[in-house]
């Protein structure tokens, strides 16, 4: 952070930019060793490292599919979706599988909780951990394909009927466009919709990057309380120089979301 700007980098991106050479797994093991932590990860036959799995359950609590996150040898992220075959194995497509919100059973079981909508499961889990530790009446959720899942929010929104919702965009044009599209789908269904832009997260930053800056629960409360109610067709009056998108970009993105 220098000259008022903020840079947000994932581990392998940091390693590449600041002098480490090698594939993602080698870099990850190097920094784990520096931290005195043993890293037990392996590559599959395609050279990918399984980084995380995220379970999606239906209203009855039945596992209907998973999102699987991999790291490629070059450090890039890639995701796949898979569903149980009923015999202990996986089918690597969702085909006609009914899509559901992440953490849907918890959303249903806690009708008094406000809903925080983010772009990915990692961010939702991070927030939910904070909410649980702070005994806060919030649940964070997302859709299985992040910013590529906007159109399905016309269906997801019904699960949030009558709820107070806060939408947090990732700081890139696709993320902002997606967040506005989500808000549009919630209009007239949710009890309220707020749009909470993240200050000073840098290019492509998300809520996890914001929290990594040493933010506490009080900062999260302030972010939520200062978030403005979302209005169709309305974009921020001034562009934040610390953000990627200009006000003009947001107006165009919002117009695109209205066309979904």
């Amino acid at each position: 952070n220098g000259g008022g700007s903020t840079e947000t980098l994932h581990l392998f991106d940091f390693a590449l930019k600041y002098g480490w050479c090698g594939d993602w797994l080698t870099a990850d093991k190097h920094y784990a060793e520096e931290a005195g932590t043993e890293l037990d990860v392996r590559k599959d036959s395609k050279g990918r490292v399984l980084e995380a799995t995220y379970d999606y359950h239906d209203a009855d609590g039945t596992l209907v599919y998973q999102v699987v996150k991999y790291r490629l040898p070059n450090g890039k992220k890639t995701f796949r979706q898979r569903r149980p075959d009923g015999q202990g194995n996986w089918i690597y497509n969702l085909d006609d599988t009914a899509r559901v919100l992440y953490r849907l059973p918890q959303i249903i079981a806690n009708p008094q909780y406000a809903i925080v909508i983010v772009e990915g499961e990692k961010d939702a889990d991070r927030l939910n951990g904070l909410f649980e530790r702070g005994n806060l009446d919030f649940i964070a959720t997302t859709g299985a394909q992040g910013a590529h899942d906007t159109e399905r929010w016309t269906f997801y929104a019904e699960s949030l009927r009558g709820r107070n919702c806060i939408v947090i965009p990732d700081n890139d044009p696709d993320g902002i466009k997606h967040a506005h599209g989500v808000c549009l789908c919630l209009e007239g269904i949710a009890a309220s919709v707020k749009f909470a832009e993240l200050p000073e997260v840098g290019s492509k930053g998300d809520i996890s990057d914001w929290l990594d800056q040493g933010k506490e629960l009080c900062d999260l409360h302030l972010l939520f309380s200062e978030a403005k109610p979302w209005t169709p067709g309305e974009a921020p009056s001034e562009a934040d120089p610390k953000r990627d998108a200009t006000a003009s970009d947001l107006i165009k993105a919002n117009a695109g979301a209205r066309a979904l």
Side-chain angles (χ1 to χ4, degrees):
N1 187 351
S5 63
T6 301
E7 182 179 44
T8 304
L9 295 173
H10 292 287
L11 174 61
F12 187 70
D13 300 317
F14 171 84
L16 284 178
K17 185 166 184 177
Y18 293 102
W20 178 263
C21 296
D23 66 15
W24 176 82
L25 182 55
T26 303
D28 211 21
K29 286 183 175 179
H30 168 77
Y31 285 108
E33 184 178 343
E34 289 289 310
T37 301
E38 185 176 350
L39 193 66
D40 183 21
V41 293
R42 300 176 181 85
K43 296 180 183 179
D44 66 11
S45 60
K46 297 182 179 180
R48 303 173 303 188
V49 174
L50 176 62
E51 188 170 322
T53 58
Y54 303 101
D55 294 342
Y56 280 73
H57 299 87
D58 66 15
D60 296 325
T62 301
L63 175 66
V64 287
Y65 55 89
Q66 278 187 340
V67 170
V68 186
K69 179 182 179 182
Y70 297 99
R71 283 281 179 167
L72 301 176
N74 64 3
K76 299 288 186 181
K77 295 180 292 186
T78 186
F79 296 85
R80 292 195 69 183
Q81 291 83 42
R82 64 188 187 184
R83 54 193 167 96
D85 69 353
Q87 300 177 4
N89 296 309
W90 298 100
I91 299 170
Y92 281 83
N93 65 65
L94 297 188
D95 286 351
D96 296 327
T97 304
R99 308 304 173 88
V100 295
L101 283 175
Y102 192 50
R103 302 251 186 159
L104 180 61
Q106 293 96 317
I107 291 171
I108 294 171
N110 298 279
Q112 76 279 19
Y113 283 21
I115 306 300
V116 180
I117 299 164
V118 291
E119 192 173 305
E121 297 89 359
K122 176 199 73 172
D123 292 338
D125 286 350
R126 178 82 176 269
L127 284 173
N128 284 320
L130 287 174
F131 297 154
E132 290 163 11
R133 288 195 293 276
N135 197 28
L136 304 179
D137 291 348
F138 293 91
I139 296 174
T141 188
T142 190
Q145 291 181 290
H148 302 290
D149 212 23
T150 311
E151 191 169 359
R152 288 197 182 93
W153 277 88
T154 58
F155 167 73
Y156 296 149
E158 189 58 39
S159 298
L160 303 180
R161 180 171 291 277
R163 307 295 285 264
N164 295 311
C165 298
I166 302 169
V167 180
I168 304 177
D170 282 8
N171 186 28
D172 58 70
D174 286 344
I176 295 170
K177 178 180 178 179
H178 169 66
H180 278 287
V182 170
C183 291
L184 185 68
C185 292
L186 291 169
E187 182 192 9
I189 294 177
S192 66
V193 182
K194 285 186 171 184
F195 194 85
E197 295 183 90
L198 296 169
E200 301 183 352
V201 291
S203 177
K204 299 183 179 180
D206 56 28
I207 186 66
S208 292
D209 298 315
W210 184 78
L211 290 169
D212 286 343
Q213 296 176 10
K215 304 298 183 184
E216 305 288 347
L217 281 175
C218 59
D219 300 300
L220 203 55
H221 271 295
L222 186 62
L223 178 72
F224 292 166
S225 64
E226 292 185 345
K228 296 180 180 179
W230 184 83
T231 303
E234 183 178 288
S237 58
E238 297 292 338
D240 184 339
K242 297 184 178 67
R243 303 185 62 83
D244 288 342
T246 64
S248 176
D249 291 330
L250 292 174
I251 292 169
K252 291 176 183 177
N254 202 16
R258 290 170 64 82
L260 288 176

